[in-house]
Amino acid sequence: QKAHLQEQQPLAQAPVLQGLWEYVKSGQEDVLRSPYLPASFAFLAHVLLCAPFLTLDALGSVCLRVRSWRMTAGSGPPPSLSRWLECFCRVLYKYVTVVLPVTALFNTLINLKLPDVAPSCWQLCVEVVACLLLFDMLFFMWHYVMHRVSWLYRNIHQMHHQHHTPFALAAQDCSSAELLSLLLLSLSSAWMVGCHPLSEALFHLINTWLAVEDHCGYDLPWALHRLLPCLGGAPHHHAHHSLQTINYAPLFTHWDQLFGTYRPVNE
């Protein structure tokens, strides 16, 4: 009986997410260790999370309710399907030619390890929030510098600002160097925090969703920035694309407030 209790004790203490982690790992370790996984995951997540906004853009031409959610000041009609397709091809080309090989080298150097134990729910939440805060700080600094140094703006960042009124897929429609820097900053954030792979995957999903939502062109009633006032959201980033000298932070508003570059959006 004592031996039986000793066998059950580790199971009772196993994290809630242990079953999920074992399911993900089972027979998939080669895939999880692949240096090509992060870039592939980033591209697929971006495209899939853009799909709801493609639907909204299609409905916008026939539905007044959807059109009323658009941030319409000088924005014109929703982007056409051909514009979406052109943007998709540009982003795909940059992933294949630059982002995939460079991030593969980065992941080969950091030598990813797969732990046997899943994170606790608390550990997962702490690591994801820490990654979001760290990425927000790193990209705020990089974004601010790109705007302040004219050479960097012309050669790296200006391409992204061709979209005076952005749409969801345009979140990653930028120069190859900037697109690569985005992914390297997010991978570095997870590496510096020391994330469990489950935490890292959730961080990348949330980060991608927030970037897509920031560029979607809609101020939706259910948008996350309405639930969490610490987030900038689409109106915050739309103002950046319009004026270019304010609202540099990608996720939260505290860095812009600290550095005097925050411009509140009038509701």
Side-chain angles (χ1 to χ4, degrees), residues 7-29:
E7 289 177 1
Q8 284 194 332
Q9 189 175 7
L11 294 176
Q13 295 177 346
V16 174
L17 299 171
Q18 187 64 33
L20 172 63
W21 177 234
E22 290 177 356
Y23 173 77
V24 171
K25 276 183 64 180
S26 60
Q28 304 296 328
E29 291 205 19

Side-chain angles (χ1 to χ4, degrees), residues 178-230:
E178 183 174 358
L179 185 57
L180 177 61
S181 71
L182 285 171
L183 192 51
L184 288 178
L185 285 176
S186 63
L187 291 172
S188 299
S189 298
W191 177 72
M192 285 187 278
V193 170
C195 276
H196 189 282
L198 279 182
S199 305
E200 182 174 356
L202 183 58
F203 156 61
H204 289 310
L205 279 175
I206 294 174
N207 195 30
T208 302
W209 171 256
L210 291 173
V212 166
E213 193 179 75
D214 276 0
H215 290 81
C216 70
Y218 292 91
D219 189 8
L220 299 170
W222 58 83
L224 283 176
H225 71 274
R226 294 184 179 275
L227 302 174
L228 300 171
C230 59

Side-chain angles (χ1 to χ4, degrees), residues 221-243:
W222 58 83
L224 283 176
H225 71 274
R226 294 184 179 275
L227 302 174
L228 300 171
C230 59
L231 294 173
H236 179 264
H237 197 68
H238 183 82
H240 171 75
H241 272 261
S242 298
L243 300 176

Side-chain angles (χ1 to χ4, degrees), residues 26 37 59 63 68 87 118 128 147 155 157 176 178 207 218 240-241 243 250:
S26 60
L37 178 63
L59 290 173
C63 180
S68 71
C87 183
V128 169
H147 274 273
N155 292 279
H157 192 52
S176 298
E178 183 174 358
N207 195 30
Y218 292 91
H240 171 75
H241 272 261
L243 300 176

